Amino acid sequence: MSRLAVRKTYKLFIGGAFPRSESGRSYPVTSPKGDFLANASRASRKDARDAVSAARKAFPGWSGATAYNRGQILYRIAEMLEGRRAQFADELGLGKKAALESVDAAIDRLVWYAGWSDKITSVHGTANPVAGPYFNLSTPEPTGVVAVVAPADPLLGLVSVVAPVIVTGNTCVVVAAERTPLPAITLAEVLATSDLPGGVVNILTGHQAELAPWLAAHMDVNALDLTGVTDADLALRCEQDAAENLKRVLGPAGDDWSGDPGLGRMTAFLETKTVWHPMGV
């Protein structure tokens, strides 16, 4: 006998849990050919506020963890992603070869950032020469809560914007790619089972134009990554709203996710603390 497939319910990921949108709304997700795939939760302003609260609550513990421990957790995420390689390839909706290559690139990207976890401070910290009997040391520290509008690339692009934010000790609220949100929520399932503390990464699905301005204006968000914003007017509005509390803003850019990621995305959300200490004390 034939059987009915059990359809997956795609929810939000907030504070380590998978709630439905408080508004009860959802929207259909279709394949590139227009075939119905699933309904995804359509997050509201309330969901965005809850996600920011969860990220803020998680920040002290995550930023206070050792860099080595953060690297271990990112590597564990890569291990879990490797174990679900075929599932992610199916959800990407590409040809089999291209989909597997994209998943493999996302795994490699996580491992690459995991390796930088305990090295970025050495590279971007310094001992400064001063005219006096003092040690003068500059060290990078995490900015805080970062709101990220994810790019259209639903897995490699997503990993490429989230990993550099969290490996340096920040927490984040992510607006997943509007048309292809399914890999983002499946990635959330990986995050939930990979030792990542709840609230470090929070993923919202829904309409970019509805969520991004509220995150940009939120006074408890410290930085804003607009990589996935394709509407120039929306990007400008978000930048203007972000100025209210002097958020760091990384503007939209035509990133090549297959290229060398470099260090720019890690340093974009770090602040430098300089300490003076008298010699001989």
Side-chain angles (χ1 to χ4, degrees):
M1 293 178 61
S2 61
R3 59 181 292 274
L4 294 175
V6 179
R7 290 280 188 176
K8 183 175 178 179
T9 300
Y10 289 83
K11 302 176 185 177
L12 309 175
F13 183 55
I14 300 175
F18 292 89
R20 291 178 171 83
S21 171
E22 60 82 29
S23 67
R25 300 178 302 173
S26 63
Y27 69 103
V29 180
T30 57
S31 70
K33 296 180 179 179
D35 299 324
F36 175 80
L37 296 177
N39 287 313
S41 292
R42 181 177 168 184
S44 67
R45 289 178 290 172
K46 173 65 163 56
D47 297 317
R49 291 197 300 270
D50 289 345
V52 172
S53 295
R56 176 57 62 194
K57 184 177 180 180
F59 178 70
W62 182 244
S63 62
T66 65
Y68 181 72
N69 181 237
R70 290 197 296 266
Q72 286 181 309
I73 291 174
L74 258 73
Y75 190 84
R76 177 59 177 163
I77 295 170
E79 288 180 335
M80 299 291 289
L81 189 53
E82 182 84 45
R84 299 176 69 166
R85 183 169 174 261
Q87 179 185 358
F88 277 97
D90 288 341
E91 288 188 345
L92 287 177
L94 306 171
K96 184 176 181 180
K97 183 174 183 294
L100 288 174
E101 287 177 350
S102 182
V103 177
D104 290 344
I107 295 168
D108 294 346
R109 186 64 44 88
L110 282 164
V111 173
W112 189 86
Y113 276 116
W116 271 102
S117 64
D118 57 355
K119 301 173 183 66
I120 189 69
T121 298
S122 299
V123 172
H124 279 271
T126 183
N128 307 304
V130 294
Y134 302 98
F135 293 113
N136 185 264
L137 306 174
S138 293
T139 57
E141 293 191 341
T143 295
V145 176
V146 182
V148 179
V149 181
D153 188 317
L155 184 60
L156 178 57
L158 177 64
V159 166
S160 297
V161 295
V162 171
V165 170
I166 64 172
V167 75
T168 49
N170 298 290
T171 57
C172 65
V173 177
V174 183
V175 180
E178 187 172 327
R179 294 186 178 181
T180 52
L182 306 190
I185 296 303
T186 303
L187 179 63
E189 296 174 358
V190 168
L191 300 178
T193 54
S194 58
D195 303 327
L196 188 75
V200 173
V201 176
N202 305 273
I203 299 178
L204 305 175
T205 56
H207 294 184
Q208 182 183 104
E210 180 180 359
L211 296 171
W214 289 101
L215 291 171
H218 199 299
M219 298 301 285
D220 207 22
V221 171
N222 303 105
L224 188 63
D225 183 350
L226 299 175
T227 295
V229 176
T230 55
D231 183 333
D233 290 337
L234 176 60
L236 177 60
R237 178 186 170 189
C238 288
E239 289 184 26
Q240 291 171 337
D241 290 342
E244 287 296 319
N245 72 332
L246 303 179
K247 290 181 180 65
R248 289 169 173 257
V249 177
L250 189 63
D255 295 83
D256 176 12
W257 303 117
S258 62
D260 182 350
L263 305 184
R265 287 193 166 272
M266 285 188 284
T267 57
F269 303 116
L270 288 173
E271 298 179 358
T272 300
K273 179 178 75 175
T274 299
V275 176
W276 294 71
H277 193 282
M279 292 182 179
V281 175

